[in-house]
Amino acid sequence: MRDRGQAVLEREEDTPGLPSGVSGDQGAVGRRRARSFSGALNSQTLLVWFGLLTLGISLALTLLIVSTGFTLLAEHLRPGRAAVWPLLIFTCTVAGLTCAVLALLQFVQLGVSRRADTDDVEDEQRWTEDLLAWSYTGLALPRPLGRSGVAALLKLRDSLQGEVSDRLRDLYEQQGWLAGDLARLRRRALPLVTRAEVIERLALLRHPVALDALAGELTHRNSEIRALALLAVARSVGRLNLPPQQQRRLSLTLRGAVVGGRFSVGQVQETLTLMDDAGLPLARELLHHAGPGLCAATLDVLARRRSPALHGEVLALLHSPHPEVRAGALKVLARSRDVPPEARAAALDLSYDPLPFVRVQAAKVAAQLEPLPELRLWMLLGDPHWWVRRAAARGLIRHPVGSALLARVAQQHPDRYARDMARGTLEGEPESGAKR
Amino acid sequence: MTAAPSTSPTVLLVEDSAAIRTLQRFLLARSGLAVLECPDLVQAEETLRSVTPDLVVLDLNLPDGHGLNLLRHIDRRRTRVLVMTGMTQQHTAEHSEHQADAFMPKPFRPEAFVEQVRALT
């Protein structure tokens, strides 16, 4: 049982070469795993047989119904025709019985399918335990890595950092899976699903050797494959400590792909997020070379990171002709809580911007300037737009000088809405101040 | 839910990925801690009705809701909470750290994980 199951596994999964970390251990663990694997294999074989049987029965039923129809038609057209009732009753009975058998088969197939799923999960869990035992105690693996073993290995690799994680990566390579995946990616005629599976595996593996192959998929004709490859490269670059030269080269490749318009704004944002600090060179490239939409999306990611790392590039964008870019640049400064003094003049200019969503961000930045531009903030608290008033008030409440200004606004501002906003903010009301 | 011996500090793992749960259990069991496991919020709530663990290791993305929803079912005077998630954005980390006792991003270093759990139990 074990030998047959294992042989089929190796043939089906194209397990390349002999594993270096695997012994010929024929112990209890191996037998248990082999039994489980054979069970899963039997379930899959059974599913195929059920499919074939169902198809055969359906075809036979169709043939029966069609031939009955022809017979009835021929009988009906014949001058001295015989009674058709016996034939009709026979056909209906056979059709009814066949439907019952088909329904029964469907139920059995469902059961077997569920059993196969459970077997897969259990197999993967056992592999997880075996891989952990191999990593930590040096216990030999019971057999070469199959599909479940690879799934378990990649999940562990994805969850861990450090020596054990790297040993798992090396095991994947030693057992020939990496070479197999790279060879598959080189095949032009590879089915899309298989290509996607390979890319997902390489994304989880995070191996520097695979980066060029993944980057090559960024120009694939299928958009889903391109998107998968983009995220795979981003995941790998974000978590590998690559040499600066290789990182720079990859950033340029990614910039070329992204600026070339092959990806959606959301995919680009996800890429930058996944790349983390390693994405800063790409973000810098995009701020310099991308169009206003992509530039604003990049600024949005930088704002969420709350990092002042690219403030040099961001300051230049405060003078952009595109309002989304101006607002995005202000948002990066405000969220970083590290507004450079050079931003003061531009931020105060933008607090007069005709578009309220730019003024909202300008108010947030203005409330962080040192010294506080009290006169301008006094005026922003009387802005016609509620969101601008709110941004100014919430910015001011954060420090003592601002709170004192708010207290004065609450008493002395000529605009009733400004007084309401200041009073409500001082009292801690979440949605203070009436809208005009 | 997996049974655990009662002598050593008890850690409840709330994590939907069987591989990560197995990994965490393996690491904690090796360092002598008793481990309970739940794959979702419903089972975790049931477990917390009958057991008061010393620590809950909590994933945020669970199949039946956000991990932090479990906090109201935890007796925070007796049980500490370590949030572990792959969502490492600044705001997620800050929010989790504010609500829980500690936060650890995934992927993690096994030694750091065990050390953190030891410090909290």
Side-chain angles (χ1 to χ4, degrees):
Chain A
M1 193 72 154
R2 178 181 190 274
D3 292 338
R4 178 174 166 269
Q6 198 158 321
V8 176
L9 171 74
E10 285 168 7
R11 198 167 56 245
E12 281 194 348
E13 296 182 347
D14 195 19
T15 307
L18 275 172
S20 62
V22 177
S23 78
D25 178 26
Q26 302 285 319
V29 176
R31 281 194 296 275
R32 184 194 54 187
R33 183 180 300 287
R35 271 200 303 277
S36 157
F37 174 69
S38 299
L41 187 72
N42 287 339
S43 301
Q44 285 170 2
T45 314
L46 265 177
L47 278 176
V48 173
W49 279 113
F50 278 132
L52 290 174
L53 195 59
T54 308
L55 187 66
I57 293 174
S58 303
L59 280 174
L61 179 63
T62 309
L63 274 176
L64 179 72
I65 289 170
V66 169
S67 58
T68 307
F70 272 117
T71 311
L72 287 176
L73 197 62
E75 282 293 318
H76 182 71
L77 293 175
R78 213 157 55 107
R81 57 184 184 274
V84 295
W85 288 111
L87 185 61
L88 264 179
I89 290 167
F90 170 75
T91 306
C92 289
T93 308
V94 171
L97 282 173
T98 311
C99 287
V101 170
L102 281 175
L104 184 68
L105 274 175
Q106 293 291 325
F107 278 116
V108 176
Q109 192 172 3
L110 186 67
V112 172
S113 173
R114 283 190 177 169
R115 165 84 189 279
D117 288 346
T118 312
D119 286 348
D120 284 348
V121 171
E122 286 173 0
D123 202 27
E124 200 176 303
Q125 196 153 354
R126 277 193 289 270
W127 263 113
T128 306
E129 285 165 7
D130 289 342
L131 284 166
L132 287 169
W134 173 82
S135 303
Y136 282 93
T137 63
L139 198 69
L141 292 176
R143 62 186 168 90
L145 282 175
R147 206 166 277 274
S148 302
V150 161
L153 180 147
L154 291 175
K155 280 180 186 168
L156 289 177
R157 163 78 176 146
D158 192 46
S159 312
L160 285 172
Q161 283 181 335
E163 193 195 339
V164 170
S165 179
D166 291 345
R167 284 187 67 202
L168 290 167
R169 178 199 62 197
D170 294 344
L171 179 67
Y172 189 89
E173 188 176 2
Q174 284 159 11
Q175 298 224 354
W177 278 86
L178 178 60
D181 282 346
L182 294 177
R184 284 185 199 99
L185 277 190
R186 281 194 292 272
R187 277 189 228 155
R188 281 193 171 186
L190 191 69
L192 285 180
V193 174
T194 312
R195 190 174 288 276
E197 284 173 355
V198 172
I199 292 173
E200 284 192 7
R201 282 203 294 270
L202 293 177
L204 293 171
L205 183 68
R206 291 177 281 118
H207 200 302
V209 169
L211 285 174
D212 285 339
L214 287 172
E217 298 297 309
L218 293 172
T219 52
H220 195 275
R221 63 183 184 284
N222 182 281
S223 62
E224 299 294 329
I225 295 292
R226 287 201 303 270
L228 275 175
L230 181 70
L231 298 182
V233 173
R235 276 177 80 98
S236 301
V237 174
R239 286 170 57 181
L240 286 171
N241 219 353
L242 294 174
Q245 202 178 350
Q246 193 181 3
Q247 201 163 328
R248 169 83 183 144
R249 190 166 51 82
L250 272 168
S251 288
L252 287 174
T253 308
L254 287 173
R255 192 251 284 183
V258 166
V259 174
R262 291 196 285 265
F263 301 100
S264 71
V265 167
Q267 285 165 344
V268 175
Q269 287 190 314
E270 197 175 349
T271 300
L272 289 169
T273 306
L274 282 170
M275 289 175 83
D276 209 17
D277 280 347
L280 289 176
L282 174 62
R284 183 179 288 117
E285 294 282 337
L286 293 177
L287 293 182
H288 281 300
H289 301 285
L294 209 46
C295 190
T298 305
L299 288 167
D300 192 43
V301 175
L302 291 174
R304 272 186 270 134
R305 285 177 52 85
R306 300 182 186 183
S307 159
L310 295 183
H311 271 8
E313 284 75 11
V314 172
L315 283 177
L317 295 173
L318 291 174
H319 306 287
S320 166
H322 303 284
E324 299 85 5
V325 175
R326 293 197 299 273
L330 286 166
K331 192 175 175 183
V332 175
L333 298 177
R335 296 287 294 270
S336 73
R337 304 239 150 255
D338 186 8
V339 180
E342 310 89 274
R344 184 182 184 91
L348 289 176
D349 279 351
L350 289 174
S351 70
Y352 293 96
D353 198 282
L355 293 162
F357 67 87
V358 179
R359 292 203 303 279
V360 167
Q361 300 302 333
K364 289 179 183 174
V365 173
Q368 294 181 44
L369 291 172
E370 293 287 344
L372 206 61
E374 293 193 28
L375 181 61
R376 185 63 203 132
L377 283 161
W378 174 282
M379 292 170 75
L380 284 170
L381 280 161
D383 192 280
H385 285 266
W386 182 84
W387 288 101
V388 179
R389 298 198 298 275
R390 179 177 180 264
R394 288 200 163 188
L396 284 171
I397 194 76
R398 292 173 190 271
H399 48 80
V401 182
S403 297
L405 176 62
L406 272 182
R408 285 207 304 281
V409 170
Q411 295 296 322
Q412 300 166 13
H413 204 289
D415 187 315
R416 176 172 77 81
Y417 295 103
R419 293 197 302 272
D420 285 351
M421 179 60 76
R423 202 175 299 122
T425 306
L426 286 168
E427 288 167 2
E429 289 172 16
E431 298 299 333
S432 50
K435 292 189 180 178
R436 286 180 204 262
Chain B
M1 190 181 89
T2 309
S6 57
T7 47
S8 45
T10 306
V11 180
L12 172 63
L13 303 174
V14 186
E15 167 66 62
D16 59 330
S17 163
I20 299 176
R21 227 169 44 235
T22 308
L23 166 65
Q24 291 172 335
R25 178 189 5 110
F26 180 87
L27 294 170
L28 297 180
R30 279 181 90 224
S31 59
L33 293 158
V35 182
L36 301 165
E37 296 174 50
C38 293
D40 53 38
L41 286 176
V42 172
Q43 285 196 37
E45 285 169 26
E46 276 175 23
T47 306
L48 286 166
R49 278 191 207 112
S50 55
V51 181
T52 306
D54 299 281
L55 175 71
V56 175
V57 177
L58 187 59
D59 182 27
L60 291 187
N61 277 325
L62 292 165
D64 50 353
H66 196 277
L68 292 180
N69 291 338
L70 190 69
L71 292 182
R72 61 175 179 269
H73 299 277
I74 299 173
D75 180 354
R76 300 296 299 277
R77 291 162 302 177
R78 293 193 286 172
T79 301
R80 306 185 82 182
V81 179
L82 167 63
V83 166
M84 293 189 76
T85 179
M87 298 191 295
T88 54
Q89 291 96 334
Q90 186 101 16
H91 61 277
T92 309
E94 282 173 9
H95 186 59
S96 303
E97 267 175 347
H98 179 66
Q99 302 235 342
D101 294 291
F103 171 81
M104 181 173 267
K106 292 180 198 164
F108 57 90
R109 289 190 170 275
E111 318 85 60
F113 170 65
V114 173
E115 209 172 292
Q116 179 76 275
V117 169
R118 278 271 173 219
L120 290 167
T121 51

